[in-house]
């Protein structure tokens, strides 16, 4: 077999750095003019969405872009893996 086998511990070299507070994460990088994403989830499981009124959100200060599930499909973008409820029409909540 090789250097490691099933059930053997694998020494991780990043642990000391992360556990001592010296780790660097993507969220530590902030650029001038950086935008942030927010996913608004429905408070109702299995809700049937008939209409979205985005006017107030679009008029809010600092809002750069609003995308619905239909917008993601049209732009040929996949929804984030941790947001399975982004859908067109019916909402399926896993909570």
């Amino acid at each position: 077999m090789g250097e490691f086998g099933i059930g053997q511990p694998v020494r991780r070299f990043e642990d000391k750095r992360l556990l001592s507070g010296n780790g660097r994460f993507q969220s530590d990088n902030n650029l001038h003019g950086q935008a942030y994403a927010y996913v608004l989830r429905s408070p109702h499981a299995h809700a049937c969405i008939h209409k979205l009124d985005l006017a107030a959100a679009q008029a809010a200060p600092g809002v750069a872009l609003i995308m619905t599930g239909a917008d993601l499909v049209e732009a040929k973008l996949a929804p984030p893996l941790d947001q399975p409820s982004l859908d067109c029409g019916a909402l399926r909540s896993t909570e």
Side-chain angles (χ1 to χ4, degrees):
M1 206 142 75
E3 186 178 345
F4 300 105
I6 296 174
Q8 277 187 302
V10 177
R11 186 136 183 102
R12 294 174 17 149
F13 299 101
E14 69 273 12
D15 286 352
K16 183 177 180 182
R17 179 173 40 95
L18 297 175
L19 294 173
S20 64
N22 294 317
R24 296 275 303 164
F25 300 91
Q26 183 59 39
S27 61
D28 294 331
N29 299 321
N30 292 304
L31 304 173
H32 177 71
Q34 177 174 316
Y36 295 88
Y38 181 80
V39 177
L40 178 63
R41 299 179 64 94
S42 172
H44 309 288
H46 300 278
C48 189
I49 300 171
H50 295 286
K51 181 181 176 185
L52 291 173
D53 184 2
L54 305 174
Q58 290 167 333
V63 173
L65 175 69
I66 296 176
M67 293 189 83
T68 64
D71 295 329
L72 292 174
V73 170
E74 185 178 323
K76 294 184 173 62
L77 297 172
L81 295 176
D82 62 341
Q83 301 296 334
S85 64
L86 283 176
D87 199 355
C88 299
L91 205 66
R92 299 287 180 252
S93 177
T94 57
E95 296 175 358

